[in-house]
Amino acid sequence: MPSRSELAVGYPVNNMVDEPVTVTSDTLRRQSLLPTRRELANAIRALSMDAVQRAESGHPGAPMGMADFGEVLWNDFLRHNPANPNWFNRDRLILSNGHGAMLQYSLLHLSGYDLTIEDLRNFRQLGSRTPGHPEYGRTPGIETTTGPLGQGLANGVGMALAERALATRFNRPGFPIVDHYTYVILGDGCLMEGISAEACSLAGTWGLGKLICLYDDNGISIDGPVKGWFGDNIPVRFEALGWQVVSDIDGHDADAVHNALEQAHAFHDRPTLICCKTTIAWGSPNKCGSEKSHGAPLGIEEVAAVREKIGWKYEEFIVPNEIYRAFDARSKGAVWETEWNGMFSRYCVQFPKMASEFMKRLACEFPVDWDKISWNFIHSTQQRCENLATRAASQRALEFYGPHFPSLVGGSADLAESTGIPWVGSRPVDFEHPDGNLIFYGAREFAMNAIMNGLALHGGYVPFGGTFLMFADYGRSAIRMAALMKIRCVFILTHDSIGVGGDGPTHQPVEHVASLRIIPNLSVWRTCDTAETAVAWKFALERVNGPTALIFTRQKLPHQYRTPDQVRSIASGGYVLIDYGEHPDAIIIATGSEVQLAVEAAKQLNMQGRRIRVVSMPSVDVFDIQDAAYRESVLPSDITRRLVIEAGVTAPWYKYAGPKGIVVGIDRFGESGPPEIIFQHFGFTAERVVAAVVALF
């Protein structure tokens, strides 16, 4: 089988054709058709500065500085197939410093991906496949959305963990069906962000030997030379984290970079950081080495000066055929994938049960009778009538669903027992046992969420992670990125309100549920008992087009009575829990721990002759996507006497309370004390709810 750098392909025209002609690199060199390394890197520089200049917006300095080591990585080491960007056993490449997107777009285009020169010309334009930062799902070959610095690095840790875990589980002697590297390109900004310390500490602890990071050590950030605010000894820092470090590499010396990557490949028990000393905007006579080239076009005159200095004699967006021939990876990519397919076919014959399990894992499949199994569990949960904290109800759901869904892997940010994460049959992940399904992340909420994103993006896993709702802010940016990428992650957030009690306002998240509900494409569930929790988990596991946040209590909640039809209606996000009379006088809407108050108040009001409807709304976003007829059946528009109760900020709920309605909530920080006393102190009592409803008449 050809090596990573042994093949090259030729094309008769500048703008790519569908039929590659395979020739060897040696033949091209003898014919003087193979460009030099520097000429290949200069093609990246030219495309990058031209695209940024045409857009009149962007970051030319980073891709120009990273072009030399980017070319070596791409052409000599990266194993991929441009004709099939989703081939499972491909190497993953992440540009963590995503503002340098034109480096990646240039390489994708040059090597034969379905990314045309016109796409590059439309860099940063509305609807373009080349947005200002790489976006997963928009551009072929992009493995994750990057831009918020450091998160791509943490995603890479998740991908490398997924590779090692799947390899441990499924590889057999002579059959390395899971065998690929995760490469991350990162910059000074990524290493300044705290998430880099969180994630890289875990990568070293886990010994992720197939994680290789190339550090663009150019000493420049937006504000100028970083020596004034970033004096870390990076090699020492990473060695202390358990990494192999290859330091002081000239990032513009192709041979030095190649040798460093070879050294990285020689180690399999720890990740590698290659420190590449580079010059930002290399080739720019007047702006290289300066922050002036970081986040703005070079300017027409400077672009012309770069062309002259680096000897690039071609016009804007013109790349000569020999450059395309040298970069194109479709032929060798096809060979790699064909070889892997052949090996996997033999694996299927020799290990049919393992092969079947492997394919199911990659597809994250449920058992064929999943719907029946899950609804039977939910109905049995309803019938048990247990009064549990919803965090405990969540653990019960995990214990049931987990064995039916082997792709599920979960963890906690040093709060495993408190968040109900460990379940019967879970197996811890560690250096010796990477194929477990219980991850101890330590007190690292941000890294946990971003690593979860990497696990989901890699494939083979549906990850979940738990912490207190209060600490959702620590990892919020990664939750947002999961929503932006529409990936399948489950964020468990417990200790959900002033019910935390004695821990006080520092741990009482009065504003957090509302803040999560406004994130587009994040489904948020705040459940009131065991049955709603079981339904919420079913929803979260089945949701394939975005993440879900499950909000649970610390304190026990009473079980609510429901008919089988009402149990089914939970999945609609909001439903009628209690109806006193055919046409109610008023509606009380509640979520989570406040549903019990709504039920008690409705009973008292019914005794006073008031016909009250109680609507439990565990998921606002799911209720909102139901058809108009269903929403009208739950919240009739002609009933304007409405009261909403939730132990959180009030503003978002006026959408449902309406102009004549009342919202009972809390618009200030909490207090320390026993939970029941705290609820009374802030007026979360049935008596207050009764009085508020009466005031509507």
Side-chain angles (χ1 to χ4, degrees), residues 170-435:
F170 292 104
N171 285 0
R172 294 294 181 269
F175 291 94
I177 62 169
V178 183
D179 181 20
H180 49 267
Y181 283 85
T182 301
Y183 297 100
V184 180
I185 296 173
L186 53 94
D188 291 302
C190 293
L191 296 183
M192 290 185 221
E193 293 286 356
I195 190 174
S196 68
E198 294 181 22
C200 293
S201 173
L202 284 166
T205 300
W206 291 332
L208 300 180
K210 288 189 174 179
L211 174 63
I212 299 175
C213 298
L214 291 101
Y215 167 32
D216 179 32
D217 183 10
N218 62 30
I220 296 292
S221 67
I222 296 175
D223 287 343
V226 301
K227 60 184 179 182
W229 50 85
F230 187 49
D232 298 25
N233 187 326
I234 292 300
V236 171
R237 170 179 155 186
F238 272 76
E239 286 171 353
L241 293 175
W243 287 54
Q244 174 192 203
V245 178
V246 186
S247 58
D248 293 321
I249 298 300
D250 181 350
H252 303 297
D253 182 335
D255 289 338
V257 173
H258 182 99
N259 291 337
L261 283 163
E262 290 282 12
Q263 182 176 338
H265 277 252
F267 280 80
H268 292 139
D269 62 345
R270 48 185 164 150
T272 298
L273 179 74
I274 300 174
C275 300
C276 298
K277 293 288 185 180
T278 63
T279 300
I280 191 171
W282 188 97
S284 173
N286 302 301
K287 294 188 177 181
C288 70
S290 167
E291 70 275 11
K292 300 301 182 183
S293 66
H294 173 87
L298 297 178
I300 295 174
E301 292 183 0
E302 188 67 11
V303 166
V306 172
R307 275 184 158 76
E308 182 176 352
K309 182 170 183 178
I310 68 175
W312 190 258
K313 56 181 182 280
Y314 310 101
E315 296 180 3
E316 180 188 58
F317 295 107
I318 297 298
V319 177
N321 295 334
E322 58 267 25
I323 297 289
Y324 280 119
R325 283 195 292 266
F327 265 112
D328 193 274
R330 286 186 288 181
S331 285
K332 60 184 178 181
V335 171
W336 286 326
E337 184 171 356
T338 299
E339 288 286 332
W340 185 85
N341 287 339
M343 176 178 61
F344 186 66
S345 294
R346 297 189 297 275
Y347 180 88
C348 291
V349 173
Q350 191 159 341
F351 307 101
K353 291 184 178 180
M354 293 297 294
S356 176
E357 180 188 344
F358 178 70
M359 296 305 293
K360 289 178 180 178
R361 284 291 298 276
L362 294 190
C364 297
E365 286 186 5
F366 293 101
V368 292
D369 52 352
W370 164 254
D371 201 54
K372 179 180 178 181
I373 290 171
S374 56
W375 278 113
N376 284 344
F377 168 70
I378 291 165
H379 285 293
S380 67
T381 298
Q382 175 65 38
Q383 293 167 0
R384 281 198 296 268
C385 301
E386 294 177 289
N387 297 336
L388 295 175
T390 49
R391 62 170 175 167
S394 169
Q395 190 172 40
R396 292 280 184 87
L398 273 173
E399 289 175 353
F400 180 82
Y401 291 138
H404 296 287
F405 193 44
S407 296
L408 194 63
V409 60
S412 163
D414 204 37
L415 291 168
E417 295 294 338
S418 297
T419 54
I421 297 301
W423 72 100
V424 175
S426 59
R427 307 178 315 280
V429 170
D430 56 33
F431 179 80
E432 298 295 334
H433 306 93
D435 60 331

Side-chain angles (χ1 to χ4, degrees), residues 62-86:
M64 293 174 70
M66 296 186 293
D68 290 299
F69 72 72
E71 181 274 323
V72 175
L73 171 62
W74 200 272
N75 282 331
D76 289 6
F77 292 91
L78 193 70
R79 193 180 293 260
H80 60 122
N81 185 3
N84 182 11
N86 296 319

Side-chain angles (χ1 to χ4, degrees), residues 505-527:
T506 61
H507 284 56
Q508 294 171 6
V510 296
E511 76 276 28
H512 289 65
V513 178
S515 72
L516 291 170
R517 286 182 180 134
I518 64 175
I519 298 177
N521 202 46
L522 174 67
S523 188
V524 180
W525 288 71
R526 183 170 183 251
T527 60

